[in-house]
Amino acid sequence: MRLLLYGLALVTSSFTIETLNRGVYHDEDKPVSLDYEDDSHNLTDFANRHVNDDDADSEEPLTDDKDDSEDADGDFRNTTPADSSARAEILKKIQMAPATFIDRKSFACPLIKKNLKTGTSIGDLSPEDISIIAAMGDALATGIGLWPQATIEFRGAAFPIGGDATIDGLVTIPNILREFSPRLLGVSHGMGTREQLPDHQLNVAQTNAKVSDLPAQAYELVRRLKKVRDVDYSQVWVMVIVTIGTQEVCSGCSGPDDHSSLEETIDILHMSIPKAIVVLLGPLHVSSPQRYHENILWQRCDCRKEDIDEAGRLWKESFKKLERHLASTSLESPTFGLIALPMLTITSRFPKGLFMPNSPLLNRRGHNYATKFLWNRLLTGKEYNLTSVVLSIDKYACPEVHCPYFRTWANAKECQTLSRSEAKEKELALGSDGKIIKMPRRSRQRLYTIAGIIVALAFFFVIMCGSIFYHRSKAASHGRFEVVDEPTKKLEEAQKEEQKALLSRHNTRAVSDLNLPNVVSRHNTFRGTIDEPPLLEE
């Protein structure tokens, strides 16, 4: 009996210690372990602790709703056999896909910049071309609340710009990009507000920011870019990730407060950053795969479900207007691109476990899921459909073989690849649509020179041939196309022969007349010694 009581005490004490170390908060009347440890007292310990988001069993149900529950083996309870087989086929393709990774050890994405010509336009922009990354927007970019039990801005862990640790411990867009471009600049580290962190960390987002605040953030970003000393920002590619709308929707239950500010923001970035790809992310849309169109954000906001749905529609309309505005501007450039996603869409079997307690903001797992969605969306385009994938199981995509670039409007229909050897043989030009145009080897100036020489030679040949034909026509006795009968022709030939004979006799007499005075003069020199008879006159 004593042994039984002793064992029970050990179990109770170990459970208490684990609870203190892991932390517990109550949400929807069910205890849930946080995805961080309370005993992490420094950035290194926190950032290096790996959260296995790819483990299907790592998520715990937050409600008793059958639609959000799942067996341990991963089979959905409310799916039909046809749905189960389709999902199994999709998961099989994901697991067998060679061009994916889950951490640094499994990272084997091919680096194509050494062999292919990239970075000449939005149409052939690869992850290896990004030299600077920046962030704008609201609390999703500031990372507020990501540090355990503290309402501070943990910018080093925010999914759009955070760069603490590596992808083994903290999965963010910059940490993935650094596997392709190790010298990436602009990454945020540590904690603090925008004013507290140095200017070379290009995170100008502000907690509780609205659309009307974006133009001021754009000017601040341009100011910081101009102070970057390691590279000339006007000569390299800059990726700007903008997160906006989640806090604005929750506070007003409506669409963007000022659509014109969106257009002004894009115009500022367009005119100030020559080579940029801007990723604009709207408010959160968190749902379960079974209820993909139901955004549970309304449960975290003081809004009705109908208000959230209407706000989502307004944000979509606003983003479409923004795309039309950019397409119609006279400043359209093949080296400036916009990827506008009206909703930052995340699906999870237990979607409520992606939020912070009593907050519409994402926790650490939520930021990891946002990273996975955004990265795979950038590399696969609109084909990446969350109704057919599970983010907890899906892997991070490598650039596709047939189109190893960020998928933008410039390569959505046709993706061109050009090797470096071919690029050296041909000069390249960019069309207005951002696609590569292969030009002939000869330059335009050389072609003009060759054409001028050909025209000059042709002109000289025409003048020479024209002169010859003109003199021959003057010597002819009749026209070129005049028909002459045979007797007349013989008579003309006889007359020509007679004229030639007369001309010959006349020339002979002229020569003799010219030689006669020479003989006389030669004899006159000896007139004193030789007597000659006088010349007879004819």
Side-chain angles (χ1 to χ4, degrees):
M1 187 65 179
R2 291 181 179 178
L3 292 176
L4 180 60
L5 293 175
Y6 181 72
L8 182 60
L10 288 178
V11 172
T12 304
S13 62
S14 62
F15 176 77
T16 303
I17 294 173
E18 179 66 17
T19 300
L20 292 175
N21 288 337
R22 300 267 319 159
V24 173
Y25 71 85
H26 291 273
D27 185 24
E28 307 294 340
D29 300 327
K30 292 185 71 66
V32 179
S33 296
L34 293 174
D35 54 0
Y36 51 75
E37 296 180 358
D38 290 344
D39 58 356
S40 299
H41 299 295
N42 58 71
L43 297 180
T44 304
D45 292 343
F46 175 79
N48 288 331
R49 199 184 75 80
H50 178 62
V51 178
N52 190 5
D53 290 308
D54 294 327
D55 187 357
D57 298 330
S58 63
E59 298 182 71
E60 300 181 12
L62 297 182
T63 67
D64 292 329
D65 190 352
K66 293 183 179 180
D67 292 332
D68 290 336
S69 61
E70 185 179 4
D71 292 335
D73 58 0
D75 294 330
F76 289 88
R77 294 179 179 179
N78 297 324
T79 55
T80 63
D83 295 335
S84 298
S85 61
R87 185 173 298 279
E89 184 66 23
I90 292 171
L91 294 180
K92 182 179 179 181
K93 291 181 179 180
I94 293 174
Q95 294 172 357
M96 295 181 62
T100 58
F101 62 94
I102 58 175
D103 50 24
R104 297 190 72 184
K105 185 177 180 180
S106 61
F107 180 86
C109 297
L111 302 181
I112 51 95
K113 192 171 179 61
K114 295 181 179 179
N115 300 321
L116 296 182
K117 184 70 174 179
T118 65
T120 61
S121 71
I122 288 295
D124 63 353
L125 182 62
S126 74
E128 299 175 61
D129 295 312
I130 303 299
S131 298
I132 300 176
I133 190 168
M136 299 169 50
D138 57 12
L140 286 179
T142 65
I144 188 169
L146 287 179
W147 186 255
Q149 300 179 351
T151 56
I152 58 177
E153 296 180 353
F154 192 1
R155 295 175 182 255
F159 81 91
I161 191 67
D164 289 346
T166 65
I167 58 175
D168 287 337
L170 193 64
V171 183
T172 62
I173 296 297
N175 281 346
I176 296 178
L177 280 176
R178 285 196 291 195
E179 299 299 319
F180 294 89
S181 181
R183 297 182 179 180
L184 186 67
L185 301 177
V187 182
S188 288
H189 297 282
M191 296 174 289
T193 63
R194 185 179 73 176
E195 292 75 16
Q196 292 172 340
L197 297 180
D199 286 350
H200 68 266
Q201 297 186 21
L202 304 178
N203 186 350
V204 297
Q206 294 175 302
T207 302
N208 297 319
K210 297 182 178 181
V211 168
S212 56
D213 300 319
L214 291 181
Q217 291 186 14
Y219 283 120
E220 173 64 16
L221 175 59
V222 174
R223 184 190 71 83
R224 294 192 178 196
L225 279 172
K226 292 180 179 180
K227 297 178 67 175
V228 175
R229 297 181 179 179
D230 295 336
V231 297
D232 183 0
Y233 80 96
S234 64
Q235 302 298 322
V236 298
W237 281 97
V238 181
M239 174 178 281
V240 182
I241 300 179
V242 186
T243 61
I244 196 68
T246 300
Q247 291 181 295
E248 186 170 346
V249 166
C250 281
S251 61
C253 303
S254 62
D257 62 337
D258 185 10
H259 172 75
S260 61
S261 294
L262 282 176
E263 297 182 354
E264 182 182 357
T265 300
I266 296 301
D267 290 342
I268 294 172
L269 298 177
H270 195 179
M271 292 184 294
S272 304
I273 310 177
K275 303 171 70 174
I277 177 171
V278 179
V279 183
L280 181 60
L281 303 175
L284 282 172
H285 181 103
V286 182
S287 63
S288 64
Q290 299 93 339
R291 297 179 179 180
Y292 177 75
H293 297 288
E294 181 179 348
N295 187 1
I296 68 170
L297 184 64
W298 69 274
Q299 300 177 8
R300 300 283 170 162
C301 306
D302 189 15
C303 302
R304 297 179 304 171
K305 181 179 180 299
E306 295 77 10
D307 296 334
I308 295 295
D309 294 340
E310 177 63 17
R313 186 186 64 82
L314 294 175
W315 279 90
K316 289 180 181 179
E317 292 182 357
S318 183
F319 275 41
K320 288 181 180 179
K321 290 180 182 179
L322 181 62
E323 290 178 337
R324 289 194 294 267
H325 167 74
L326 182 61
S328 62
T329 180
S330 59
L331 299 176
E332 185 177 1
S333 169
T335 58
F336 185 91
L338 171 66
I339 299 178
L341 304 179
M343 293 288 174
L344 176 54
T345 309
I346 304 175
T347 61
S348 173
R349 292 165 296 171
F350 314 110
K352 296 177 184 178
L354 304 180
F355 290 100
M356 294 181 185
N358 303 318
S359 171
L361 301 177
L362 297 174
N363 57 20
R364 188 181 177 193
R365 176 175 285 118
H367 275 254
N368 287 359
Y369 278 29
T371 301
K372 186 177 293 186
F373 162 74
L374 180 57
W375 178 258
N376 290 348
R377 174 62 176 78
L378 290 176
L379 291 186
T380 60
K382 297 180 179 180
E383 297 178 358
Y384 189 68
N385 190 351
L386 289 183
T387 60
S388 59
V389 299
V390 179
L391 284 176
S392 61
I393 301 177
D394 195 12
K395 300 178 181 179
Y396 299 91
C398 289
E400 298 180 0
V401 176
H402 69 283
C403 189
Y405 314 122
F406 290 119
R407 305 310 296 268
T408 62
W409 53 268
N411 54 33
K413 295 182 179 179
E414 181 183 2
C415 191
Q416 300 177 348
T417 57
L418 185 68
S419 65
R420 285 191 171 273
S421 59
E422 186 179 2
K424 291 180 180 180
E425 296 177 358
K426 298 180 179 294
E427 293 185 355
L428 303 180
L430 295 179
S432 59
D433 57 353
K435 295 183 178 180
I436 299 176
I437 301 176
K438 298 179 181 180
M439 303 297 292
R441 295 183 184 180
R442 296 186 178 90
S443 63
R444 182 176 297 180
Q445 183 178 2
R446 186 178 179 185
L447 290 176
Y448 286 160
T449 303
I450 295 175
I453 294 174
I454 293 175
V455 171
L457 292 176
F459 181 77
F460 176 77
F461 181 76
V462 169
I463 295 296
M464 184 179 64
C465 293
S467 300
I468 294 174
F469 290 140
Y470 174 74
H471 289 293
R472 289 188 62 181
S473 64
K474 289 186 65 176
S477 57
H478 53 78
R480 180 178 179 184
F481 300 101
E482 184 179 351
V483 180
V484 183
D485 54 359
E486 190 67 23
T488 305
K489 186 176 181 179
K490 291 182 178 180
L491 178 62
E492 290 178 353
E493 291 178 354
Q495 290 176 352
K496 288 181 179 180
E497 293 295 334
E498 183 177 357
Q499 290 178 358
K500 288 181 180 180
L502 291 175
L503 183 61
S504 178
R505 289 197 299 270
H506 180 73
N507 292 336
T508 302
R509 177 176 294 181
V511 171
S512 62
D513 291 341
L514 290 174
N515 292 332
L516 184 61
N518 293 335
V519 176
V520 173
S521 62
R522 186 175 61 251
H523 286 289
N524 288 337
T525 57
F526 300 97
R527 181 173 297 177
T529 58
I530 301 175
D531 294 331
E532 294 181 355
L535 297 175
L536 297 178
E537 295 181 0
E538 294 183 357

